[in-house]
Amino acid sequence: MKRVPYPKVRQVLVMIMLAVMLSGCLEWLRAYQTYLQLNEFDTHFEIKSAEDFTLLFKHPILISDDFVNLSKLQPSESIPLEFGKRWRYWFKKVNDQGELISPEINFFFDLRFNRFQRLTAFTFSPLFLQIAPPDFIEASLRSIAGAKINEEKRQLRTNAEMIQKTNAKLPLKSAVIAQLGEPLEITQENGFEIYRYHFMLQTTGIVAGYEDRALNAVKLTFDMQTQELVKMAGRFAGLKISINYRKYLDQDEQTL
């Protein structure tokens, strides 16, 4: 029998140990396996971007139950398809009391699954792209490869040396406000304005003890001089996302 060189054995053992530490359950193991696919992004993924933004999974691993087990939240809608199903998560703008505002402002995420319940597509709606432009979503996804893993907190932090760059323009505050409306609160800090919004997830069910995950807080940071959106941070269906857009610009910019 052919003997595997020691370095390769060690690498495999390290990967298995990381997977166990990250997982603790099968959904985390599948999430980790999907993370590994990002090292060969174009082999495993495809992007389609027009009015919305869709990430296609060529070799899907995650299953529908993983999203419920990890987020503790059911989708807003489950729509049967000829060869699978589509889940939609609706997020609707609310005031400080959690009441829907009028006129309604909302965005959604779509998850498409095949007949084997595996995730084949993840779509961001047009309104979400106002605060997370397509070029920056793609750059951040590609930059996850090589990200530093915090096993205890189950977090990924991008490696500065691996960040993908883009020549895309940063959104202007006037354009963002035209779509999202006025925020709940505006604060100023070191030459930046921070706009705070609340969006309530419309869901068919929440696991007891996780009711707070339905409320999604979004913070948008604008440069007071240029009026550009430079950072977006929020929690969406239990998933925390923070993107410093200036890190992805293909030019020398001051970062937050």
Side-chain angles (χ1 to χ4, degrees):
M1 188 171 93
K2 185 177 180 181
R3 187 175 181 179
V4 179
Y6 171 74
K8 290 189 177 181
V9 172
R10 182 180 180 183
Q11 182 180 22
V12 171
L13 289 175
V14 170
M15 289 173 61
I16 292 174
M17 289 173 63
L18 278 173
V20 171
M21 287 189 293
L22 279 172
S23 63
C25 49
L26 287 176
E27 56 262 27
W28 278 108
L29 179 57
R30 285 189 287 267
Y32 180 69
Q33 291 172 328
T34 302
Y35 158 75
L36 291 179
Q37 289 183 328
L38 291 166
N39 290 311
E40 299 178 276
F41 190 92
D42 293 311
T43 299
H44 299 290
F45 302 95
E46 181 181 347
I47 288 174
K48 290 187 176 180
S49 180
E51 290 186 0
D52 54 27
F53 179 99
T54 299
L55 177 67
L56 299 173
F57 296 73
K58 297 180 182 179
H59 308 108
I61 296 174
L62 293 167
I63 63 174
S64 56
D65 284 349
D66 292 340
F67 292 89
V68 176
N69 293 335
L70 293 171
S71 70
K72 313 302 181 185
L73 301 166
Q74 294 286 345
S76 309
E77 303 172 358
S78 181
I79 303 169
L81 304 174
E82 183 178 2
F83 299 107
K85 63 183 176 182
R86 186 188 75 196
W87 281 1
R88 174 163 289 186
Y89 290 82
W90 278 109
F91 301 85
K92 299 188 177 183
K93 186 180 177 183
V94 296
N95 59 24
D96 260 335
Q97 288 72 48
E99 301 166 335
L100 294 177
I101 67 160
S102 182
E104 185 176 294
I105 296 176
N106 58 62
F107 63 87
F108 63 82
F109 297 153
D110 273 352
L111 283 69
R112 186 181 294 267
F113 303 92
N114 62 20
R115 68 179 71 186
F116 305 109
Q117 305 299 311
R118 294 193 179 275
L119 178 67
T120 59
F122 193 117
T123 298
F124 300 85
S125 70
L127 183 63
F128 186 78
L129 301 184
Q130 297 296 320
I131 61 174
D135 287 337
F136 292 97
I137 294 179
E138 180 175 353
S140 61
L141 286 170
R142 290 181 178 274
S143 298
I144 292 176
K148 296 179 181 178
I149 302 173
N150 185 319
E151 296 90 351
E152 182 179 352
K153 296 182 178 180
R154 292 174 174 175
Q155 293 178 344
L156 294 176
R157 184 179 296 273
T158 56
N159 185 339
E161 296 179 356
M162 302 292 291
I163 286 179
Q164 298 287 317
K165 299 294 185 177
T166 177
N167 292 315
K169 298 292 185 181
L170 292 169
L172 294 177
K173 182 172 71 173
S174 58
V176 174
I177 302 306
Q179 296 294 323
L180 296 188
E182 292 299 320
L184 292 175
E185 179 185 53
I186 302 174
T187 57
Q188 295 183 2
E189 182 179 339
N190 300 324
F192 298 96
E193 280 188 324
I194 301 172
Y195 280 46
R196 181 170 63 89
Y197 292 88
H198 281 175
F199 290 86
M200 187 69 72
L201 171 65
Q202 310 301 294
T203 175
T204 57
I206 306 175
V207 174
Y210 293 90
E211 290 80 7
D212 63 321
R213 291 193 177 184
L215 182 62
N216 302 271
V218 179
K219 291 198 304 183
L220 305 179
T221 302
F222 298 94
D223 187 307
M224 293 178 65
Q225 288 189 334
T226 65
Q227 298 293 293
E228 294 172 330
L229 175 63
V230 295
K231 186 176 182 180
M232 182 274 288
R235 188 183 66 181
F236 308 96
L239 176 64
K240 292 183 179 180
I241 300 176
S242 180
I243 306 177
N244 185 342
Y245 296 124
R246 285 185 168 178
K247 290 183 178 180
Y248 298 95
L249 290 177
D250 192 14
Q251 55 187 342
D252 293 328
E253 293 270 12
Q254 179 184 354
T255 57
L256 296 179

